[in-house]
Amino acid sequence: MLWVKICGLSTPEAVEAAVESGADAVGFVLAPGSPRTVGAALAARLVAAARDAAGRAGREVETVAVVRDQTLEEVAALAREAGVDTVQLHGDEPDATADALREAGLRVIRALSAGEYTRRTATGWSSPDRLLLDAAVPGSGERFSEDELGAAPSGFWALAGGLSPQNVGEAVAALRPGGVDVSSGVESSRGVKDLGLIRAFIQAARTVL
């Protein structure tokens, strides 16, 4: 089944809508400079809301802290305070950062643009972590550019960048990722999640064959 992540959540209501509609993962932006940024204390409350909603539904949900070009010490402290399961590295973090986070018991998602992924793999780079291939400007609502992608990853990878309830089915059918990740595509305005769009996105993703 397609893995579905709703990212950039900042209210308990949005978290509950995502979990109750069947999201596999919910993400919280702990990197500065985004309209979706939340502090670790609020993220901890949102993590608790996600787990409560998942418990009521009789299943589990993955909680993800999204960081970007922060030090390992800062990332580790934020993840610990927020109580997340997973850290999503969305910048130029070295592989040593991912290694250290895994050693601390956290899962890791490595987010790259299609162009950056192609450049890295051309040098023989590979990652033991799940990959998320995003648009060149994350969170902008721009479409992922498959023209920059030489070849899709052989292991699990998730697609992000410009997805919405209207186009997620077409995108998945064309690229066959293992998962999808959406943020701006389920917003009524920049940084403000729309509960109806969250539900519609998950429903549309779940109907892809």
Side-chain angles (χ1 to χ4, degrees):
M1 182 180 290
L2 190 71
W3 181 84
V4 179
K5 174 170 168 276
I6 309 296
C7 201
L9 300 174
S10 59
T11 67
E13 293 79 12
V15 168
E16 289 167 3
V19 175
E20 290 168 359
S21 298
D24 299 290
V26 289
F28 315 107
V29 178
L30 297 179
S34 167
R36 305 169 186 93
T37 299
V38 298
L42 174 55
R45 294 196 292 273
L46 298 175
V47 166
R51 290 178 179 154
D52 286 346
R56 291 193 298 271
R59 61 186 190 85
E60 295 183 356
V61 66
E62 184 176 6
T63 55
V64 183
V66 179
V67 300
R68 185 180 179 89
D69 294 330
Q70 292 147 279
T71 67
L72 171 59
E73 292 75 15
E74 182 181 2
V75 171
L78 288 169
R80 186 166 52 248
E81 183 177 349
V84 294
D85 305 307
T86 301
V87 173
Q88 181 173 308
L89 300 176
H90 230 302
D92 294 321
E93 296 86 0
D95 289 341
T97 294
D99 294 342
L101 292 170
R102 286 195 305 274
E103 289 172 6
L106 292 159
R107 303 172 193 165
V108 176
I109 297 171
R110 172 73 73 169
L112 299 170
S113 68
E116 179 62 20
Y117 171 75
T118 299
R119 285 190 291 273
R120 290 194 185 201
T121 53
T123 66
W125 177 87
S126 63
S127 173
D129 303 306
R130 287 172 292 171
L131 292 172
L132 186 147
L133 299 188
D134 202 348
V137 182
S140 65
E142 294 180 7
R143 289 293 298 270
F144 169 89
S145 177
E146 60 187 277
D147 296 335
E148 296 183 73
L149 184 62
S154 57
F156 176 91
W157 68 283
L159 174 66
L163 296 177
S164 70
Q166 291 73 34
N167 66 25
V168 64
E170 175 189 355
V172 170
L175 294 169
R176 293 297 175 187
V180 290
D181 187 330
V182 68
S183 184
S184 61
V186 291
E187 292 180 345
S188 56
S189 60
R190 190 163 171 78
V192 180
K193 292 293 184 286
D194 182 296
L195 306 190
L197 289 176
I198 289 173
R199 297 183 181 104
F201 181 89
I202 295 170
Q203 182 178 11
R206 290 286 180 238
T207 60
V208 179
L209 300 178

